[in-house]
Amino acid sequence: MANKKNNLAGIGDPYWYEWSVGLLYALDMLNPDNNIKSVVLQASNLQGLDDVIINFNNGESECVQIKHTRENDSLTFSDLIRAEKGVSYLSQFSADWIKSLFSGYKNSKAVLFTNRKIGQQKYTVKQENKEEYERPALDVFWPYVKQKIATSSKLNEIIIDKKWGVAWSELLNELSPLTNDDQKLNFLRNFEIKTNQQDLEEIIESIAKKLSKYFKIEVSLAVQLHQNLCYALMKWTTTLRNCEEIFLEDLLEALALSSDNFKGIHDIPTNEPFFSSRISFVESIEKYLETRINPIVFLYGEPGSGKTNIVSHLTNKLDSVITLRFYAFKPL
């Protein structure tokens, strides 16, 4: 028999898809109206809702689990309740959702994000007693359930169509990590299924378009900014990171262009000798910048007192705390 070649072996599409979706959420930090405090890619304290965590300034969160497929696949009702490696999607999601609340969030959304199409086929399944029942098409059943949940104050008030009674019981059984009906109802209210999402190539295009929109720049420059973000992913998604959360300042630092075209002299060298009395002053400035609370720090002094030289010294250091320098006027 001829050896079969696996053209997809080692291909990282699922990882890049997750990270690219994460970048789309992270870019929304650029709009203050979105009220986003930080974004986490691959949260270490969760298992089933760990791909992207969006933390909001009001103490709420949105936990996103991403399911990518290269095939023209669909997400069905059976996919939600079927055990995968011993645990179903719903069981994983509900366990992580309640864990996020115990972690201090006032409220948390659980989101299943996938490029799969929502299932449109119903299935007939035999129970152990050999009686048949219907597992509904997800595109019909889920909107139906969400409408019931929206108009009910208690779980036991929800009356499901008789033909879907067994399927509803199966769904509730997968919420076993939740200890009471109030938790189960609250989870179902906060559980969102986003199907038919863009593929990897489309997500990449959306990132460039979003950058172009936020910064009002040409798409060609937006692509360059996207490359900067891809480089930052090596830090944001690996053990190289010192902090899981990506804040707005981290995003802006990653987006800073090091290859901007300047006219004239812009790299101002440090004038020598650099007085030893200024070294301790520079060290105190560095400590203050690294621990500051206020976003803006003013350095002021008489003309010729050395302000520009101090900033040049800070900027030219190998381990500089300054990541981007710009001028309000052309340097002399």
Side-chain angles (χ1 to χ4, degrees), residues 260-322:
D260 287 345
N261 295 319
F262 294 93
K263 294 182 179 179
I265 298 173
H266 62 279
D267 288 330
I268 302 178
T270 306
N271 290 332
E272 299 293 345
F274 190 76
F275 300 135
S276 57
S277 60
R278 290 178 177 171
I279 294 177
S280 58
F281 180 64
V282 166
E283 291 174 351
S284 66
I285 291 179
E286 289 177 316
K287 290 178 181 179
Y288 185 80
L289 290 175
E290 290 172 344
T291 59
R292 74 188 188 280
I293 298 175
N294 298 317
I296 300 176
V297 177
F298 289 98
L299 176 65
Y300 62 92
E302 295 293 329
S305 60
K307 301 184 297 299
T308 300
N309 203 33
I310 286 171
V311 173
S312 294
H313 180 79
L314 277 168
T315 305
N316 295 333
K317 291 183 67 177
L318 292 176
D319 57 346
S320 176
V321 296
I322 298 175

Side-chain angles (χ1 to χ4, degrees), residues 7-209:
N7 293 323
L8 299 179
I11 295 297
D13 286 35
Y15 301 104
W16 278 105
Y17 188 77
E18 291 176 14
W19 299 335
S20 297
V21 171
L23 289 180
L24 277 177
Y25 280 106
L27 287 174
D28 285 337
M29 287 193 289
L30 295 170
N31 184 352
D33 293 339
N34 291 322
N35 196 35
I36 299 176
K37 174 189 174 186
S38 65
V39 172
V40 177
L41 305 181
Q42 302 301 131
S44 60
N45 63 332
L46 300 176
Q47 297 296 323
L49 288 169
D50 61 333
D51 290 336
V52 182
I53 311 296
I54 302 98
N55 299 309
F56 295 93
N57 289 315
N58 61 4
E60 298 183 355
S61 72
E62 188 169 317
C63 306
V64 183
Q65 188 67 15
I66 299 166
K67 299 295 180 182
H68 173 265
T69 180
R70 302 185 190 95
E71 306 297 332
N72 188 18
D73 201 1
S74 61
L75 181 76
T76 67
F77 175 79
S78 295
D79 289 328
L80 295 180
I81 64 171
R82 182 174 55 236
E84 184 180 87
K85 297 181 180 179
V87 186
S88 70
Y89 284 172
L90 282 176
S91 183
Q92 292 177 38
F93 300 159
S94 58
D96 268 10
W97 174 81
I98 196 65
K99 188 176 181 179
S100 71
L101 294 183
F102 290 151
S103 298
Y105 292 111
K106 290 192 300 184
N107 191 35
S108 184
K109 268 190 177 181
V111 179
L112 173 57
F113 185 107
T114 180
N115 62 336
R116 299 181 192 176
K117 296 178 174 61
I118 192 166
Q120 298 178 339
Q121 297 292 327
K122 61 183 181 181
Y123 302 86
T124 300
V125 180
K126 283 188 178 181
Q127 301 181 73
E128 292 182 359
N129 61 8
K130 297 186 179 180
E131 289 187 12
E132 293 184 343
Y133 72 97
E134 180 182 314
R135 282 187 178 171
L138 192 60
D139 70 328
V140 176
F141 182 67
W142 186 243
Y144 170 84
V145 167
K146 291 294 280 186
Q147 188 275 330
K148 291 283 186 179
I149 292 167
T151 56
S152 302
S153 58
K154 293 187 177 297
L155 191 66
N156 58 16
E157 293 177 356
I158 298 176
I159 307 299
I160 298 294
D161 193 303
K162 185 177 180 180
K163 65 181 178 181
W164 293 334
V166 177
W168 173 243
S169 296
E170 285 185 314
L171 185 151
L172 294 179
N173 287 340
E174 295 307 314
L175 305 184
S176 57
L178 307 178
T179 56
N180 56 61
D181 285 354
D182 287 342
Q183 287 183 355
K184 292 177 182 179
L185 182 61
N186 197 18
F187 167 75
L188 290 172
R189 280 181 178 147
N190 285 283
F191 179 45
E192 186 176 351
I193 301 175
K194 294 185 177 182
T195 56
N196 299 75
Q197 298 301 306
Q198 295 175 314
D199 292 324
L200 178 58
E201 186 174 351
E202 294 170 322
I203 291 281
I204 291 172
E205 292 178 359
S206 292
I207 291 172
K209 289 178 181 177

